[in-house]
Amino acid sequence: MPERFTQLTSRTFVIPQDSIDTDQIIPARFLTTTSREGLGASAFYDWRYDANGAPIPGEALNSIDPQEHRILVAGDNFACGSSREHAPWALLDYGFRAVISTSIADIFTSNALKNGLLPITVDDATHARLLAEPAGRVTIDLEACELHIGNEAPVPFTVEPFARQCLIEGVDALGWLLERRDAIEAYEQRRAQELAA
Amino acid sequence: MSSTPDRPRTLFDKVWDAHVVSAETAAAPAILYVDLHLVHEVTSPQAFTELDERGLKVRRPDRTFATLDHSTPTLPPDARGARPYVTPAAAKQVETLQRNCAKHGVALAGWDSADRGVVHVMAPELGLTQPGMVVVCGDSHTATHGAFGALAFGIGTSEVGHVLATQCLLQRKPKRMRVTIDGVLQPGVAAKDLTLAVIAALGFAGGSGFVIEYAGEAIRALDMEERMTLCNMSIEAGARAGMIAPDDKTFAFLKGRRHAPQGDAFARAEAHWRELYTDDGATFDREIRLDARTIAPMATFGTTPDAALPIGAPIPRPRTESEQRALDYMHFKPGESATHEAVDVVFIGSCTNGRISDLRAAADVLRERQVAKGVRMLVVPGSETVRRQAEAEGLDRVFTQAGAEWRLPGCSMCIAMNGDFVQPGQLAISTSNRNFEGRQGKGARTILVSPATAAASAVAGVLTDPRTLAKELADA
Ligand code: SF4
């Protein structure tokens, strides 16, 4: 079950590049794991380390304090590509709790929400404002669905209501589905009859 | 599944409606029933762990099928039978799926199975994929199965756990898009070229939030394997799924396959399947049209699959810093074409183009020819079934005599996590589906093309339109 999420105030970490795909977030050769743990070490690995595994000098991802920068602001079309849930696992383990972009891939969004990493899409103007101020202080208020940037008027955002509920109240989505066993069984019977007709 | 003709519905609506266990409300998504759940070693271990921790069983092992494809070596075992896994972790991942399947009674096309293959190649071969089904897999190219008129999409590992435990998913209904392709493809132009042209037209996020229905004369003219190639890459335009209404070609493909309905049951199923089409008057949230007659062999030049052009066309000036970065990564310049750059590696395979028709197309180009000096070419069949068929037709010998390597089935260089990869800086011509930075190995530069183009490029040593190679031969 994901960690609860209500409010988060943090500095941003900005990667302005568009279409940061899931192979950048965690290269495929790190997917041979059978665990969810410890993937932060592989987050953005090929951006952080050279061919010999030495940290690339000047790469900001190697020097930030992840506790200080928990909100990733990324370019358009963030996390396109594979369905690997290892991508949100890696970002969370690295220290991020939220990602802001103008568009975020469907499967990634669904995966991230199930793990307590909040994906937020904003309009171009807000995005430009966030890109222009790396390490700016931002507050995400999930209960009010508002983004607070500096002293400016809050920016509203939307999150799928059920996923939001799960994050705020710690609802367990699988548990919720399991409670609906009767409806699932009834469906299976109905469908079997229809197909036999 | 009989349709209630009170309002016209799209193909997607019909399949969706038939699988709603409980309807979507403002507060909660729909509960959607899954007919077929495909499983592989990479995205399932943590889901099985979750089940075990909660003391849950797999609800419908009979609707769950597993294979080994991503982490598996494509070189044969040694004299002692040991497989050359890239790392102990890869071996452990395979063992974990074997153990999980045995424990939960899930059928696994494992090392000893004559069915094993890349998940999206194997399932249609076995007749597991059928029209009107909801098919899911922890893999973004699950849309492949949409070629049969199924609603098929990729899910994450948490959702794999949901489906294992409940056979259901929580889903909001996506929007509908229709991509109509008029006319038919010209000779020498492949389904992959059409696919890349569609993605280039939509853009990398143009399909985001949509399920695409592919329709029109060109689509009807495609055979089932070509339709799979097209649906496979729907995700590369950001779409949730791609679908094609089933027709006589679909039913003929399915007839007699092991998991398809048999005898009278097939006729009954076919009657239901024939209702799966978009009604006249049904509406889409977005429609686009392309003309197949204008499509030429395509190749990508950037690091997203939508950055594709007819082979030989000049690369456009980058509009953004990200596009500039992509050109820098690929070592390409605006105004040039990618046809001058020496090729290092050619890869034929993957769930996009690892089927028998793809291997035939490549072999037709390579027959009596040689792979250019300095080019490493790898041909990886999509499944054991494809491998057997290709070897029966002598295609393996065409490849090896031309100087290519003939491997065991698997994802191989498509995702480069099994030890088959492209060296840093090398240029790869690949029939797979993603040209992201590092997708085929750290620093690897990838150009996506059709099998015929890949084979022609292997012969020429540079990116080559297969039609010009055929012409050279005729002129010689
Ligand atoms: S062949 Fe490539 S895209 Fe297809 S399932 Fe394997 S890794 Fe994924």
Side-chain angles (χ1 to χ4, degrees):
Chain A
M1 241 195 323
E3 220 180 295
R4 286 190 190 195
F5 193 121
T6 48
Q7 245 196 29
L8 170 70
T9 299
S10 169
R11 289 186 185 285
T12 60
F13 184 78
V14 171
I15 311 181
Q17 193 183 323
D18 293 338
S19 297
I20 299 170
D21 57 74
T22 49
D23 279 279
Q24 309 314 309
I25 298 170
I26 177 165
R29 58 187 189 281
F30 299 112
L31 305 186
T32 49
T33 177
T34 51
S35 151
R36 305 171 183 241
E37 315 297 330
L39 294 177
S42 320
F44 296 110
Y45 189 92
D46 287 343
W47 294 6
R48 288 163 61 196
Y49 301 99
D50 68 16
N52 303 316
I56 293 172
E59 172 50 56
L61 280 160
N62 284 329
S63 53
I64 63 167
D65 174 359
Q67 294 308 315
E68 269 283 298
H69 301 262
R70 312 206 69 189
I71 302 173
L72 175 62
V73 176
D76 194 23
N77 191 33
F78 181 72
C80 56
S82 115
S83 65
R84 63 189 71 159
E85 203 156 315
H86 310 69
W89 294 336
L91 293 176
L92 277 164
D93 190 51
Y94 185 79
F96 294 121
R97 284 302 311 274
V99 186
I100 306 178
S101 174
T102 40
S103 73
I104 303 180
D106 287 347
I107 310 184
F108 177 86
T109 296
S110 157
N111 286 341
L113 286 166
K114 288 186 180 63
N115 290 278
L117 176 74
L118 184 63
I120 298 176
T121 54
V122 294
D123 59 85
D124 289 342
T126 306
H127 193 232
R129 166 79 182 78
L130 289 165
L131 290 178
E133 196 192 341
R137 198 164 281 281
V138 169
T139 295
I140 297 167
D141 183 343
L142 183 59
E143 288 183 295
C145 277
E146 281 175 355
L147 213 58
H148 299 263
I149 310 170
N151 297 324
E152 295 163 29
V155 180
F157 63 85
T158 56
V159 176
E160 197 284 304
F162 183 79
R164 176 173 165 270
Q165 193 86 351
C166 289
L167 285 178
I168 292 176
E169 293 174 15
V171 177
D172 158 30
L174 177 51
W176 192 89
L177 262 176
L178 286 165
E179 281 167 24
R180 280 147 187 85
R181 271 199 193 100
D182 291 351
I184 298 170
E185 236 150 69
Y187 171 87
E188 281 177 333
Q189 285 171 10
R190 195 169 75 230
R191 175 100 169 134
Q193 280 166 8
E194 273 171 19
L195 291 180
Chain B
M1 198 180 346
S2 63
S3 58
T4 19
D6 46 355
R7 71 187 161 83
R9 294 186 299 167
T10 65
L11 164 65
F12 160 64
D13 292 323
K14 290 179 183 177
V15 180
W16 174 275
D17 292 350
H19 291 84
V20 173
V21 170
S22 77
E24 168 170 352
T25 64
I31 299 180
L32 198 69
Y33 195 79
V34 171
D35 298 307
L36 175 63
H37 183 195
L38 302 169
V39 173
H40 64 78
E41 72 274 25
V42 177
T43 54
S44 64
Q46 299 86 349
F48 279 110
T49 303
E50 173 98 32
L51 250 63
D52 290 345
E53 282 171 2
R54 294 182 185 232
L56 296 168
K57 290 200 290 219
V58 174
R59 181 181 172 86
R60 294 296 300 264
D62 59 323
R63 292 184 175 277
T64 314
F65 287 84
T67 187
L68 304 173
D69 54 6
H70 285 66
S71 309
T72 51
T74 57
L75 285 169
D78 65 17
R80 296 186 352 267
R83 302 265 168 193
Y85 285 104
V86 62
T87 56
K92 183 178 168 218
Q93 200 170 49
V94 166
E95 285 157 19
T96 303
L97 183 59
Q98 289 166 335
R99 208 175 41 245
N100 283 328
C101 287
K103 175 173 175 188
H104 289 277
V106 170
L108 168 69
W111 282 121
D112 53 355
S113 168
D115 300 332
R116 193 184 65 81
V118 177
V119 60
H120 311 307
V121 177
M122 178 200 75
E125 283 172 348
L126 298 178
L128 288 165
T129 305
Q130 294 165 25
M133 280 185 164
V134 168
V135 181
V136 300
C137 174
D139 191 283
S140 58
H141 293 94
T142 307
T144 311
H145 309 269
F148 292 80
L151 173 60
F153 54 92
I155 57 177
T157 296
S158 294
E159 291 178 317
V160 170
H162 293 184
V163 181
L164 289 174
T166 70
Q167 204 58 29
C168 288
L169 277 175
L170 290 163
Q171 290 286 304
R172 295 271 175 198
K173 192 174 181 183
K175 291 178 287 183
R176 318 165 186 85
M177 182 191 307
R178 180 160 57 190
V179 173
T180 306
I181 320 283
D182 299 313
V184 290
L185 292 171
Q186 299 200 350
V189 181
K192 180 65 162 291
D193 301 314
L194 168 64
T195 306
L196 290 170
V198 169
I199 296 165
L202 284 169
F204 54 57
S208 188
F210 289 94
V211 167
I212 298 174
E213 179 177 345
Y214 300 101
E217 192 186 349
I219 305 299
R220 299 265 72 91
L222 298 178
D223 67 27
M224 291 311 295
E225 297 200 351
E226 293 173 318
R227 292 179 190 182
M228 286 190 250
T229 299
L230 175 63
C231 288
N232 172 275
M233 287 185 68
S234 304
I235 183 78
E236 309 311 336
R240 198 90 179 94
M243 305 175 80
I244 294 173
D247 59 13
D248 289 341
K249 287 182 186 172
T250 320
F251 311 140
F253 180 98
L254 281 165
K255 196 148 199 173
R257 299 213 177 232
R258 195 186 316 151
H259 290 272
Q262 307 291 324
D264 292 349
F266 190 90
R268 275 202 305 280
E270 191 185 315
H272 287 296
W273 295 341
R274 286 195 183 276
E275 294 170 21
L276 296 169
Y277 55 85
T278 291
D279 297 328
D280 286 341
T283 54
F284 289 84
D285 301 286
R286 189 174 170 206
E287 293 232 39
I288 72 160
R289 282 195 109 89
L290 292 176
D291 189 335
R293 288 158 294 204
T294 63
I295 295 170
M298 300 282 288
T300 60
F301 59 90
T303 56
T304 50
D306 65 321
L309 285 171
I311 293 169
I315 291 166
R317 192 163 293 286
R319 292 161 301 184
T320 63
E321 272 178 46
S322 299
E323 287 183 0
Q324 180 65 56
R325 179 187 161 120
L327 287 193
D328 292 346
Y329 181 87
M330 291 300 295
H331 307 177
F332 292 154
K333 290 201 181 59
E336 290 179 350
S337 103
T339 52
H340 305 295
E341 186 84 7
V343 171
D344 300 297
V345 176
V346 172
F347 169 64
I348 293 188
S350 88
C351 59
T352 313
N353 283 127
R355 298 188 180 76
I356 189 68
S357 56
D358 301 312
L359 301 192
R360 285 179 190 142
D364 283 347
V365 174
L366 281 175
R367 211 166 266 121
E368 318 278 315
R369 288 189 173 131
Q370 287 296 311
V371 172
K373 216 163 165 274
V375 175
R376 177 187 183 207
M377 181 172 185
L378 212 67
V379 186
V380 184
S383 68
E384 286 293 346
T385 305
V386 172
R387 179 164 78 111
R388 275 193 307 277
Q389 180 65 29
E391 290 178 356
E393 294 177 20
L395 305 186
D396 57 322
R397 288 188 301 281
V398 174
F399 295 127
T400 51
Q401 279 164 10
E405 298 172 49
W406 175 245
R407 293 292 186 95
L408 301 179
C411 296
S412 182
M413 272 190 192
C414 173
I415 189 164
M417 63 180 288
N418 75 329
D420 301 338
F421 63 93
V422 176
Q423 299 289 338
Q426 285 193 327
L427 185 67
I429 303 270
S430 178
T431 66
S432 53
N433 42 55
R434 284 190 175 135
N435 53 349
F436 297 155
E437 278 184 30
R439 168 78 177 187
Q440 296 195 284
K442 186 179 166 82
R445 300 179 293 142
T446 298
I447 293 178
L448 302 177
V449 297
S450 76
T453 301
S457 304
V459 170
V462 291
L463 174 64
T464 299
D465 182 333
R467 298 174 305 184
T468 60
L469 200 69
K471 190 168 164 297
E472 271 168 32
L473 195 72
D475 293 348

